[in-house]
Amino acid sequence: MLHCQHDQLVSGIDWAPISNYIVTCSHDRNSYVWSFDGTQWQPTLVILRLNRAAISVDWSPKENKFVVGSGAKSVCVCYYEADNNWWVSKIIRKKHGSTVTGVAWHPNNLLIATTSTDCKCRVFSAYIKGVDSKINPGTTFIDTKFGEQVLQLDLAFGWSFGVKWSPTGNSLAYVGHDSTLHIVSNIGPTPSHQTINLRQLPLRDILFISETRLVGGGFDCNPMLFEIDPKRGVWTFVKFVDEAKSSTHDLKSSTLFLEAMGRFHGQTRRGTHEAFETSRASGLAHDNCITCIVPLISAGEVNGQETGEKVVQAFSTSGVDGRLIIWSFSNITELLAKLQI
């Protein structure tokens, strides 16, 4: 059990499975790194030097750094300084126009992607001399310094959320509050991108299952599976993952979207706020917005060592309904059969 250290809402949490560290961030503008001493979790305060709330946090793949997004339009990259026995925060400032809603590390441990309520997605260099090993000459953006923006995506027309990298780092995806999903490939000077306009309510978070498949969750309360056609190179929606009442849910999804928009339009005209009960299909695992999707098990990975193709075999979803749901598949064949791909 983690004893209370934050004095305001805890807005982000992430676990480093190899080192067994937990990092939390909060609206109190601080972060804590928690280590287990055999009997209880011991916190170490990380002073982020923010003047607004900390919103999101993510451990780096090598677990030697973590990144925090904030309401101060800035990003903190934190690392452990052994000589002084404390965690140090380096800040990327003046790059965002509004709150940083999501952060994600590239598999190379050197780049971070962010989403923001200014509707943009950005990629920054997070290379720290003395912390990161010497850069491989073949690494993309080798000449970039810490905090330098290497890519900006202006694809969404609504707040941006849920940025994630694919397992190899060749693709990047994020969602817009305008009910769009954006997938960017060939990250570099000339990236290619595709936008999927959803016929459902907006997504809030996504997760790459593999290089060719990803799941998303949001206001439809049912994880959605997407895949890429290898011949055409086009991403498409496949089906809802929660099969309970899924056929009914598919039929009602467009009606639900129109119903929500109509109710919102009516409230804004009258200047009132009313409780909103939708016609959402019952019987789903979640009965409110899905806000977080986290991988639990990856095929081809044993004790952090890659042994083959990385494919998520289990992941969890959590949401506003207070539920934590685990979706598991015993092997890749069962995964494909269950999702009827």
Side-chain angles (χ1 to χ4, degrees):
M1 178 179 179
L2 303 182
H3 297 284
C4 180
Q5 294 293 325
H6 294 290
D7 55 20
Q8 293 189 35
L9 175 72
V10 176
S11 51
I13 184 170
D14 195 25
W15 175 52
I18 299 175
S19 59
N20 198 30
Y21 285 153
I22 294 175
V23 62
T24 58
C25 67
S26 166
H27 287 185
D28 63 11
R29 300 171 294 171
N30 290 323
S31 181
Y32 284 90
V33 174
W34 304 76
S35 58
F36 192 66
D37 63 4
T39 58
Q40 61 182 357
W41 291 91
Q42 299 292 343
T44 300
L45 174 64
V46 183
I47 300 177
L48 301 176
R49 297 179 291 136
L50 295 172
N51 59 4
R52 294 292 187 275
I55 302 298
S56 52
V57 65
D58 188 38
W59 278 109
S60 69
K62 292 184 179 180
E63 302 181 5
N64 60 344
K65 300 181 288 186
F66 64 88
V67 59
V68 178
S70 75
K73 309 178 185 179
S74 58
V75 174
C76 302
V77 179
C78 305
Y79 61 95
Y80 185 70
E81 199 171 76
D83 293 341
N84 296 309
N85 192 29
W86 60 25
W87 288 86
V88 179
S89 171
K90 294 190 69 173
I91 303 180
I92 301 175
R93 304 181 187 271
K94 299 180 180 180
K95 302 293 185 179
H96 299 85
S98 191
T99 297
V100 179
T101 59
V103 289
W105 283 94
H106 188 281
N108 68 9
N109 210 69
L110 303 177
L111 299 176
I112 54 174
T114 67
T115 49
S116 171
T117 51
D118 64 6
C119 310
K120 296 177 175 59
C121 177
R122 299 173 174 88
V123 177
F124 298 95
S125 169
Y127 173 76
I128 299 177
K129 187 177 181 180
V131 176
D132 295 303
S133 57
K134 189 175 181 180
I135 301 177
N136 187 325
T139 304
T140 306
F141 307 116
I142 184 174
D143 297 325
T144 56
K145 300 178 181 179
F146 174 84
E148 184 175 342
Q149 180 175 301
V150 298
L151 184 65
Q152 177 173 301
L153 301 169
D154 302 322
L155 304 177
F157 292 94
W159 295 349
S160 299
F161 296 98
V163 63
K164 291 291 192 305
W165 295 92
S166 66
T168 63
N170 290 331
S171 298
L172 172 72
Y174 69 101
V175 298
H177 208 54
D178 54 351
S179 289
T180 55
L181 168 62
H182 308 279
I183 302 106
V184 183
S185 303
N186 303 319
I187 303 298
T190 57
S192 59
H193 67 84
Q194 178 188 348
T195 295
I196 300 177
N197 293 295
L198 308 173
R199 287 194 256 179
Q200 285 75 31
L201 296 176
L203 298 174
R204 279 298 307 270
D205 200 13
I206 54 176
L207 172 69
F208 276 94
I209 294 178
S210 68
E211 284 294 317
T212 58
R213 299 179 181 88
L214 63 85
V215 291
F219 291 90
D220 269 301
C221 314
N222 192 343
M224 302 169 65
L225 175 70
F226 300 85
E227 72 166 350
I228 188 172
D229 184 329
K231 295 182 179 180
R232 298 186 299 150
V234 176
W235 286 86
T236 57
F237 168 66
V238 178
K239 65 171 295 181
F240 287 98
V241 176
D242 192 347
E243 296 180 340
K245 302 272 187 173
S246 61
S247 59
T248 304
H249 188 271
D250 291 346
L251 293 173
K252 289 187 176 182
S253 59
S254 59
T255 302
L256 174 61
F257 180 80
L258 294 174
E259 182 180 349
M261 290 297 295
R263 182 64 64 91
F264 176 75
H265 179 68
Q267 290 179 10
T268 54
R269 292 190 62 184
R270 294 190 298 270
T272 61
H273 176 75
E274 303 170 1
F276 180 31
E277 293 294 335
T278 70
S279 58
R280 182 181 290 115
S282 60
L284 297 176
H286 285 285
D287 60 16
N288 211 323
C289 177
I290 296 171
T291 57
C292 183
I293 306 177
V294 177
L296 299 180
I297 304 172
S298 293
E301 183 174 308
V302 178
N303 295 326
Q305 301 298 317
E306 294 185 13
T307 59
E309 182 185 1
K310 291 185 67 176
V311 177
V312 174
Q313 289 187 311
F315 63 91
S316 68
T317 57
S318 57
V320 180
D321 56 7
R323 297 176 181 176
L324 174 67
I325 310 297
I326 296 178
W327 311 86
S328 61
F329 312 93
S330 61
N331 52 56
I332 299 175
T333 302
E334 182 179 344
L335 170 63
L336 300 181
K338 183 177 178 64
L339 298 180
Q340 300 177 3
I341 296 177

